[in-house]
Amino acid sequence: MEARKVLVVGSGIAGLSTALRLIRRGYEVEIVEKNSMAGGRMNLIEKDGFKFDTGPTFFSMSYEFAELADDIKKELPFELRELDPLYTVWYDEPGKRYTIYKDIEKLASEFNKVEPGFREKMEAYLKSTGRLYYDTESLIIKNNFDSLMDYASTVVRVPMVHLPKLFRTFWKEVSRYFDSDEVREIISLVSFFLGGTPFDTPSVFTMLSFTEFVHDGYYNVNGGMYKIIEGFVRMLESNGVKIHYNTEIIDIESNGSALQSLVDQNKKKWSSDIYVINSDAALFRGRILNRGKYSEEKLDRKRWTMAPFSIYLGINQKLPELKMHNYFLRGNFKEYSDKIYKNQASLEQAYYYVNVVSRLNVEAAPEGRESLYILCPVPDLRYKSDWSDKEKIADAIITDLSRRTGYNINDKIISKTIISPVEWRDKFNLPWGSGLGLGHNMMQMGYLRPSNKDEKFENMFYTGSSTLPGTGIPMAVISSKLVTERIQKKYGLVLTDLH
Ligand SMILES: Cc1cc2nc3c(=O)[nH]c(=O)nc-3n(C[C@H](O)[C@H](O)[C@H](O)COP(=O)(O)OP(=O)(O)OC[C@H]3O[C@@H](n4cnc5c(N)ncnc54)[C@H](O)[C@@H]3O)c2cc1C
C-alpha cells in the first residue's frame, strides 16, 4: 500500500467514523476542523451550569454503530440507551396526547378509539414497510454506484411489488392503511426527521416506520449524545490521529488530475496522499472547487431539507409532566406542512419538538432544575433570510409550551440560547442553514446524489449528509463505510489493531 496519508476535512460523525475505519486499515489520518470542538451538528453547549446536545437527540438503526465497532474490532466507547416509550405527541386540545410505543399492544391501546382495528392495520403496514426495507437495504442504501447504468441496473433489481411506492408520497402510502388523521399524522412524523414533510417525502421512506417500530426502535446514549463524539475522539487520539481545530479549508491546489493540497483560512497548505471531505459534498464542490454543476444557482434549484430553529433553556424547576421526547402539533397538519417549507405559515403558531435533556442525562442540569431543548423545523434562508425576529419567535414558542403543559416556563428560565438558521449555516457551512443537507426526493438519491468520489481528482472523496446514502446519524455511519470501501478498493489495506 503506497498512499498512506489521509486528510479528513471535518470532524462530524461521518468524518470521525471514516477516520476510525481508515486507521484500522493502516492509513495515517489527520483531521482539520473549522470549529474549536469536534462533532459538527452533533455538538454540545455547556452554559450556566447546564448541558445541551445541540443537534441530534436520538437515532434509529443502532446496529450501524455495532457494525462500525465490528469493523474496527473495538468496543463502542459509549453505552446505548433504548427509548421506551419512543415519544409523546401533544395535540392542541386539552388532554389529547398519545404516547408512542414500539410494543404494538401498548401502541394499539393508545389508538383503538380513533382507529378501530389499529393492530391489524399496523401489522399490515409494518409487513409492507419491512419487505421494502429488506429489499432495498443492501441494494440501494448500502451500495456505491459507479455510473448511471450501474444505478439503473441495481434499481431494476428491486422487486416490482414496490414500484407504485415510487409515485406516492409518504402521506398517501400511510393513508392506504389508516383512516384517522391522528394515526396518519403520527406515523408520518418520521418524514420530518428527514427534513421534509409527509406530503413531499417519497413513500419509499415508509421503510423508516419499520426501523422505528420493529427493527430497532430509537436510542440515546448514557450521558448524552455528545458521549459518542467524545468517545470517538478519544479513540482516534490514542491511535495517533491529530485533530487540528479552528482550521477552515477555503481553497485547493491541484495538478489537474490529482489534488495536491488544501489551503486553510491562514493560507497554510495541508498536503496528503488522499483527501476525504466531510464538509457538505455539494457546497464544497461549488464553493471551494468552483464546479459549474454545483454553482449557487444550480444548488438553489435543488431540494434542501428544512432549517433548524433551536432554543436551549435552563429551567429553575423540574417538569415531570413533559416526557423525554415530545412533539407539539396543532389541528392544521396538512395546511401547515404545505406552507412551512416556503415560509407561508406563521412561526408564532409553529409545530415543534421538545427534548428534556436532563431526563436521561441527569448531569445536564443542577439538582431540581431541567435542561430543555426545543427544535422547530423552519424555512431555509432562501425563503426566510432575516432572523432579527428570533427572540419574538422563541417567546411565542415558549409561551405556547407553557400554556399547553401548564408550567409557567417563562418565569423559570435561568439560561437561554437561541440558534437560528443563520448561525447554523455559518458555524457548520450548511447551505442556506439546511439542517440535514440535501433532501431525499427521487432525483437526489443513489447515483443522483453528489458522489462520494470526486469527478475530477482521483485522490479526493466525500462522506456525510449530502453524499451517499443520505442524512441522519445512521446514514452518516453508513456513508463512512461506503467511502472507506472506495478508498480500500483503490489504495488497499494493511489491517492494524487499534489501541
Ligand atoms: C438540529 C438538528 C437536529 C438533528 N436531529 C437528529 C436526530 O435526532 N437524529 C438523527 O439521526 N439525526 C439528526 N440530525 C441530523 C444529524 O445531525 C446529521 O445527519 C449528522 O450529524 C451529520 O453529520 P456529518 O458528519 O455528515 O456532518 P456535520 O456534523 O455537519 O460535520 C461536518 C463537519 O465539517 C466541518 N466543516 C465544514 N466545512 C469545513 C471546512 N471548509 N473546513 C474544515 N471543516 C469544515 C464542520 O464544522 C463540521 O464539524 C439533526 C440535525 C440537526 C441540525
Side-chain angles (χ1 to χ4, degrees), residues 252-255 257-262 272 275 457 459-460:
I252 62 153
E253 286 187 338
S254 76
N255 66 3
S257 65
L259 193 63
Q260 286 180 312
S261 60
L262 294 173
S272 187
Y275 301 84
F457 301 129
N459 57 344
M460 188 175 189

Side-chain angles (χ1 to χ4, degrees), residues 8-16 32-35 37-43 54-60 193 225 244 247-250 277-280 283-284 288 306-310 312 325 327 353 373 375 424 427-430 433-437 463-466 470-476 479:
V8 177
V9 178
S11 63
I13 182 72
L16 298 177
V32 288
E33 165 55 51
K34 174 180 185 288
N35 287 296
M37 277 169 79
R41 281 164 260 191
M42 197 197 260
N43 226 290
T54 53
T57 50
F58 61 95
F59 54 93
S60 64
F193 305 172
M225 299 289 284
H244 304 271
T247 304
E248 180 174 8
I249 298 304
I250 57 160
I277 309 300
N278 176 213
S279 180
D280 187 275
L283 187 76
F284 195 90
I288 314 287
M306 277 190 273
F309 178 71
S310 46
Y312 308 89
H325 300 275
Y327 291 87
Y353 156 82
Y373 163 17
L375 175 61
W424 277 104
K427 184 146 191 190
F428 301 114
N429 286 343
L430 305 181
S434 159
L436 290 92
T463 189
S465 299
S466 286
T471 197
I473 295 169
M475 294 299 138
S479 163

Side-chain angles (χ1 to χ4, degrees), residues 186-393:
I186 290 170
I187 301 287
S188 59
L189 273 181
V190 68
S191 51
F192 283 99
F193 305 172
L194 282 173
T197 77
F199 305 97
D200 64 18
T201 301
S203 73
V204 290
F205 289 101
T206 53
M207 73 172 80
L208 294 180
S209 300
F210 178 71
T211 62
E212 181 180 26
F213 287 107
V214 183
H215 203 200
D216 201 42
Y218 285 128
Y219 290 80
N220 196 298
V221 165
N222 280 342
M225 299 289 284
Y226 201 67
K227 291 285 173 209
I228 300 178
I229 300 300
E230 287 173 347
F232 282 0
V233 167
R234 225 178 17 251
M235 250 178 169
L236 287 166
E237 287 178 343
S238 65
N239 283 280
V241 175
K242 178 135 183 50
I243 307 183
H244 304 271
Y245 294 103
N246 303 310
T247 304
E248 180 174 8
I249 298 304
I250 57 160
D251 206 353
I252 62 153
E253 286 187 338
S254 76
N255 66 3
S257 65
L259 193 63
Q260 286 180 312
S261 60
L262 294 173
V263 183
D264 73 19
Q265 79 276 23
N266 300 317
K267 301 205 166 55
K268 180 174 171 182
K269 292 180 187 172
W270 296 83
S271 297
S272 187
D273 299 317
I274 301 164
Y275 301 84
V276 178
I277 309 300
N278 176 213
S279 180
D280 187 275
L283 187 76
F284 195 90
R285 281 170 163 104
R287 188 184 286 173
I288 314 287
L289 306 181
N290 290 316
R291 299 274 164 80
K293 195 177 160 199
Y294 295 94
S295 65
E296 191 165 334
E297 198 191 349
K298 296 239 168 87
L299 293 188
D300 182 16
R301 277 191 238 133
K302 292 197 180 289
R303 180 80 183 181
W304 292 90
T305 54
M306 277 190 273
F309 178 71
S310 46
I311 310 165
Y312 308 89
L313 301 176
I315 305 290
N316 191 9
Q317 173 187 340
K318 281 283 177 202
L319 307 169
E321 193 63 14
L322 265 173
K323 307 299 169 200
M324 191 170 152
H325 300 275
N326 309 267
Y327 291 87
F328 286 85
L329 312 184
R330 296 173 192 279
N332 58 345
F333 191 82
K334 170 136 182 35
E335 187 195 348
Y336 186 84
S337 303
D338 283 345
K339 290 187 168 171
I340 185 65
Y341 190 83
K342 293 200 175 167
N343 197 27
Q344 293 152 342
S346 165
L347 286 175
E348 292 187 22
Q349 296 279 304
Y351 281 45
Y352 54 92
Y353 156 82
V354 180
N355 175 218
V356 184
V357 186
S358 42
R359 187 62 46 78
L360 173 65
N361 175 12
V362 286
E363 310 131 44
E367 219 180 311
R369 298 180 171 178
E370 210 90 89
S371 10
L372 278 195
Y373 163 17
I374 305 175
L375 175 61
C376 180
V378 296
D380 70 47
L381 294 164
R382 290 171 300 175
Y383 300 107
K384 177 169 166 54
S385 55
D386 179 5
W387 283 88
S388 54
D389 55 355
K390 67 178 186 181
E391 290 282 349
K392 200 169 141 219
I393 294 171

